[in-house]
Amino acid sequence: MLPPIEKFDSSIGVRIYRMPVLAFPTLLAYTYLLVGACTPTLVDCGSGYGDSNDHLIAALKAVQSDFGEKLELQDIQRIFITHGHIDHHGGLSFIRQKLHGAKVGIHPLDRRILVAYEERVVVSTKNLRVYLQRAGVSEKRVQDLLNMYGFAKRLITSEKVDFLLEEGTEIDGMTFIHAPGHCSGQVCIRIGDVLLTADHILSRITPHQAPESITHYTGLGHYLDSLEKVKRLDGVRLGLGGHEEPITDIYARIEGIKEDHHRKLERILDIIRGAENPVTISDVSKAMYSEVHGYQVLLALEEIGAHIEYLYEHGELAVCNLDEIEQSDNPVLLYRTS
Ligand SMILES: [Zn+2]
Ligand SMILES: [Zn+2]
């Protein structure tokens, strides 16, 4: 059962409808419809996988029938994509056809994910392979993880981008805050006193982080800076994320997420300090997340990698197998505290 569609009002007269879709069997995502004091706009469009497209169409129709919005599908002329993750843009080609060619906007740093999707998959898969090898993951496991990573990505094709959601852009009174970290081109959308936080800030889970060595402009350092940036926005009454429940105190939630990362950094340092020998990212990941399976293993390796890179960049860790690094093409990196 999907949660109900919910309506939120903003201080600038834009009405916000939160529309649930099941992006993947265990991942509920929220898309949004903006109407009222703006050109009707869809924010994100689900994964395109399974029932996601059907859920989106049903929700758009329900906004008309259940909430009395006088709006036909083809009145929606604009789509904002909050960031280049598949659960947010995978349904784009489907919905664009249904909306008769609505114009699509995304942040410049995620533009290539939409316009050159096939290139993106090849390049990011290669970067991920190198990362996993350097993280000390066995070759067999690397192959399994890459197969999982490629799943669902093959279903998507490239899409045209019509405009850019750059920092400082204003559209119908709405502004865009570039918040890199969880994704390079992550934007939050300010609609008066409401902030669509996408996956930058979620109400319950600390948003997933991946190492910058896989994708530039991600990484924990960028992410923490982006939290500070959102914290400096005055007068946000309500945060609405790409998943999970509304955030009634976004400033307190930011503090909670920061604390979670700092605890994780401390714990990783403790593990590395307490180890008899220098350790790999894979060793730390196993120590921290011993219970995970399947795709969760990949997420854990990325999350730990983002933290270890952060500690290394900040001088807390050293890489200690320099001879091996000098002599081999793609060596496993062994860390110790510095
Ligand atoms: Zn995301
Ligand atoms: Zn997401």
Side-chain angles (χ1 to χ4, degrees):
M1 260 289 273
L2 290 174
I5 295 166
E6 286 198 43
K7 179 190 174 193
F8 303 90
D9 290 313
S10 70
S11 59
I12 60 169
V14 172
R15 297 189 291 282
I16 303 165
Y17 289 93
R18 189 183 73 163
M19 306 180 295
V21 299
L22 198 58
F24 292 107
T26 56
L27 183 66
L28 182 71
Y30 288 116
T31 64
Y32 292 89
L33 180 67
L34 313 177
V35 294
C38 66
T39 296
T41 303
L42 178 66
V43 179
D44 289 341
C45 49
S47 64
Y49 178 81
D51 294 329
S52 179
N53 289 335
D54 290 345
H55 290 162
L56 180 55
I57 291 294
L60 288 169
K61 288 185 173 157
V63 168
Q64 302 163 47
S65 59
D66 301 357
F67 292 86
E69 291 290 350
K70 294 191 179 17
L71 178 89
E72 300 299 325
L73 283 189
Q74 56 267 32
D75 296 334
I76 303 168
Q77 293 172 4
R78 208 164 51 194
I79 303 172
F80 298 154
I81 300 293
T82 60
H83 65 296
H85 285 168
I86 191 170
D87 51 321
H88 299 258
H89 73 83
L92 189 55
S93 72
F94 167 82
I95 197 66
R96 211 175 199 182
Q97 280 171 15
K98 294 278 176 194
L99 301 182
H100 302 290
K103 300 274 188 274
V104 171
I106 192 166
H107 188 273
L109 290 184
D110 279 358
R111 169 167 51 175
R112 286 198 74 70
I113 297 176
L114 293 194
V115 302
Y117 191 75
E118 298 77 3
E119 170 202 290
R120 164 72 181 184
V121 171
V122 171
V123 171
S124 64
T125 303
K126 177 72 178 185
N127 289 349
L128 181 59
R129 174 188 288 283
V130 171
Y131 168 74
L132 292 171
Q133 288 168 339
R134 291 184 167 197
V137 178
S138 72
E139 197 47 44
K140 161 87 176 68
R141 190 108 230 225
V142 168
Q143 204 45 56
D144 289 348
L145 293 172
L146 290 176
N147 289 341
M148 274 186 253
Y149 177 76
F151 164 80
K153 290 193 165 54
R154 286 181 285 270
L155 303 170
I156 292 182
T157 51
S158 294
E159 279 291 323
K160 185 166 155 260
V161 167
D162 303 288
F163 60 98
L164 294 173
L165 306 181
E166 285 184 274
E167 178 99 14
T169 303
E170 187 173 330
I171 300 176
D172 294 346
M174 300 183 274
T175 53
F176 302 88
I177 296 107
H178 183 215
H182 170 78
C183 192
S184 318
Q186 174 79 72
V187 291
C188 297
I189 305 172
R190 176 142 205 184
I191 310 172
D193 55 352
V194 178
L195 188 70
L196 299 189
T197 60
D199 284 4
H200 180 49
I201 302 168
L202 299 173
S203 65
R204 193 169 46 82
I205 287 177
T206 297
H208 176 64
Q209 304 302 318
E212 196 167 11
S213 56
I214 300 175
T215 308
H216 292 303
Y217 255 91
T218 62
L220 189 60
H222 286 297
Y223 180 70
L224 294 173
D225 287 347
S226 296
L227 285 181
E228 293 301 323
K229 190 173 179 182
V230 171
K231 204 174 106 181
R232 288 194 293 272
L233 299 174
D234 280 335
V236 177
R237 174 183 57 85
L238 181 69
L240 297 171
H243 310 271
E244 305 184 347
E245 290 315 297
I247 308 157
T248 47
D249 186 342
I250 196 164
Y251 306 101
R253 184 60 193 132
I254 287 171
E255 291 309 313
I257 291 173
K258 274 164 58 184
E259 279 165 27
D260 189 58
H261 283 302
H262 288 296
R263 269 196 303 273
K264 215 173 268 176
L265 290 168
E266 279 306 318
R267 203 164 149 223
I268 290 170
L269 274 177
D270 281 347
I271 288 170
I272 299 178
R273 243 184 244 120
E276 261 176 50
N277 297 307
V279 296
T280 65
I281 287 173
S282 175
D283 294 332
V284 178
S285 187
K286 281 181 197 153
M288 295 263 295
Y289 299 106
S290 54
E291 300 293 302
V292 294
H293 301 284
Y295 198 70
Q296 300 294 326
V297 174
L298 181 59
L299 296 180
L301 282 161
E302 289 184 343
E303 185 76 30
I304 294 302
H307 287 76
I308 287 186
E309 281 186 4
Y310 180 87
L311 290 167
Y312 180 74
E313 285 160 6
H314 287 76
E316 302 280 348
L317 295 179
V319 170
C320 54
N321 52 332
L322 294 182
D323 287 346
E324 201 182 344
I325 291 170
E326 200 171 8
Q327 283 154 25
S328 46
D329 282 342
N330 199 18
V332 174
L333 303 180
L334 292 173
Y335 292 95
R336 61 171 171 75
T337 46
S338 59

